[in-house]
Amino acid sequence: AGAKSVALIGGSMGGSAAADAAALARPGEIDALIILGAGSGSEPPEKIAGRKLLIVAREDTSGAGPRLPRIQAQFDRMTE
């Protein structure tokens, strides 16, 4: 038996951890990835494949400034 599909969801630091897990997973292990207010984690965005949804508020900022441009650039580099 066991799970027929696996989706990862995480926010902030947990979103980065979920992204890293998706990047390191073997093909078919993770069906979907949902990230709230985080980017691709420490792994290259190109390693994150499959269905994904990244959610970030337009005005969300960090010490380095607005998060949206960085997260959008990482999303654009992720594979289908």
Side-chain angles (χ1 to χ4, degrees):
K4 292 186 177 25
S5 66
V6 175
L8 299 178
I9 184 169
S12 192
M13 188 181 292
S16 295
D20 286 343
L24 297 172
R26 292 182 293 234
E29 283 186 322
I30 307 231
D31 297 302
L33 173 65
I34 302 167
I35 302 174
L36 308 167
S40 62
S42 60
E43 294 295 320
E46 295 83 0
K47 292 180 71 177
I48 300 174
R51 298 183 314 160
K52 63 195 78 58
L53 172 65
L54 280 69
I55 301 170
V56 61
R58 183 172 289 131
E59 303 300 324
D60 189 13
T61 62
S62 68
R67 292 177 193 231
L68 181 58
R70 178 183 55 83
I71 292 172
Q72 178 69 56
Q74 291 174 346
F75 178 81
D76 291 343
R77 292 172 43 206
M78 294 177 186
T79 58
E80 292 295 319

